[in-house]
Amino acid sequence: MARFGRVVTAMVTPFHPDGSLNLDGARTLAKWLQDNGNDGLVIAGTTGESPVLTDDERLSLFEAVIGAVTIPVIAGTGTNDTAHSIHLTKEATALGAAGILAVTPYYNRPSQAGIEAHMRAIAGATKLPVVVYDIPVRTGRKISTPVLLRLAREVSNVVAVKDAAGSPSESAVLMSQAPAHFELYSGDDNLTLPFLSIGGCGVIGVATHWSATDHQELFDCWERGDVVGARRVNARLLESFAYETGDDNPNPLPSKVMMNLLGLNVGEARLPMGPPPAGLAERAQKVLDNLRAARSAAH
């Protein structure tokens, strides 16, 4: 079994209509996600709009969600400032997080040596398991396979990578050489099934906000050797994967629209993301209707 479960959602952060943090909404959403197929949650990741949260808001959010659910809560404490990341990691550890998500430093584009030192410093600030988050499209740097392997082999609490680098072939090289305990979580929903074929253990997803049970079915099929069944479930989810982000409606705008449609009242995104574009709610309804119809037809 994957350390944090097979289906983990990178949860959106609810805001009130005035843009202030909605902690009651966060508790309600977290409980709903737990009740609807999720094995774990990531809080204050990219989808959680971490760049626009103050430290107090981020820590309050960790505390609220950790207290609301019984599934593992992974705290997004990585920033592009190592000292700041260490501070947030220590605070999240004290609040009872189950793990730490540490993203590659963004914007400043450090060398591979700098990235490695940054990750070692974060891991050294906690006894919690650390998931390294590799997402070069947002950070400007891909973590090299040799660096990931050194972290996996030499830093005892670096236990997994959330892989959003978009290169299954390179991920296959990583997993062919990584220690047996090191886990690969898909960070791109549409690559979850391919990643399973090279040793992936789960997904830290976005579309999992509304399709966690479908993802569980996909994993069930794969684990019993029903590759055709897994492909059928994956095909059912392709429209959700296409919906969850785009140039005109980047993540997390679509997920917030979908959650609001489902009655979870998460509000809109803060600037610079801002309000969703016209027509996104209608598209969300179509995605949801088609997914429900596909589920019914399959069962």
Side-chain angles (χ1 to χ4, degrees):
M1 281 294 293
R3 179 184 297 268
F4 299 111
R6 304 181 303 186
V7 181
V8 179
T9 287
M11 195 179 93
V12 299
T13 297
F15 298 121
H16 291 293
D18 66 358
S20 60
L21 183 63
N22 182 354
L23 291 176
D24 285 339
R27 294 183 187 97
T28 298
L29 175 59
K31 290 175 183 176
W32 187 89
L33 291 170
Q34 175 175 272
D35 291 342
N36 284 272
N38 279 278
D39 300 316
L41 300 172
V42 167
I43 307 301
T46 305
T47 307
E49 299 179 69
S50 57
V52 298
L53 296 175
T54 67
D55 282 5
D56 285 347
E57 287 174 330
R58 197 185 300 220
L59 297 177
S60 296
L61 190 59
F62 294 158
E63 185 175 26
V65 174
I66 289 166
V69 297
T70 57
I71 56 178
V73 174
I74 304 168
T77 62
T79 72
N80 64 344
D81 174 351
T82 305
H84 188 198
S85 304
I86 288 171
H87 165 71
L88 290 172
T89 298
K90 289 179 177 178
E91 293 293 321
T93 302
L95 289 170
I100 297 297
L101 184 74
V103 70
T104 314
Y106 40 86
Y107 185 73
N108 32 20
R109 301 184 79 241
S111 67
Q112 292 297 320
I115 293 170
E116 182 174 352
H118 174 85
M119 294 301 179
R120 286 178 181 269
I122 291 173
T126 183
K127 295 184 183 301
L128 293 178
V130 174
V131 180
V132 174
Y133 184 12
D134 188 16
I135 182 166
V137 70
R138 288 184 182 266
T139 65
R141 281 283 190 248
K142 166 80 181 79
I143 309 176
S144 74
T145 298
V147 167
L148 285 169
L149 286 170
R150 278 198 297 274
L151 292 170
R153 292 166 177 165
E154 298 174 12
V155 185
S156 61
N157 61 331
V158 172
V159 300
V161 59
K162 178 185 177 184
D163 189 330
S167 179
S169 59
E170 189 62 26
S171 302
V173 173
L174 170 68
M175 295 310 291
S176 73
Q177 300 178 40
H181 72 270
F182 189 74
E183 296 180 330
L184 172 69
Y185 278 89
S186 172
D188 286 319
D189 287 356
N190 61 352
L191 289 180
T192 300
L193 182 54
F195 277 165
L196 287 177
S197 71
I198 59 169
C201 71
V203 60
I204 298 177
V206 176
T208 49
H209 276 89
W210 62 90
S211 60
T213 55
D214 301 279
H215 284 80
Q216 294 286 7
E217 184 180 351
L218 186 153
F219 284 110
D220 285 343
C221 288
W222 180 265
E223 289 174 9
R224 66 172 178 259
D226 181 6
V227 177
V228 172
R231 288 173 57 197
R232 286 184 183 134
V233 178
N234 191 68
R236 183 196 311 166
L237 290 166
L238 292 177
E239 188 179 16
S240 289
F241 300 159
Y243 166 79
E244 69 183 41
T245 194
D247 287 343
D248 294 328
N249 50 297
N251 176 45
L253 299 185
S255 295
K256 287 204 144 181
V257 168
M258 185 68 81
M259 291 298 96
N260 286 327
L261 179 65
L262 290 168
L264 276 300
N265 299 320
V266 299
E268 293 186 351
R270 286 177 173 172
L271 286 171
M273 288 296 180
L280 193 57
E282 290 77 10
R283 186 178 171 195
Q285 186 65 65
K286 182 180 177 182
V287 168
L288 194 61
D289 289 345
N290 289 343
L291 182 59
R292 287 169 172 166
R295 284 175 188 153
S296 296
H299 299 109

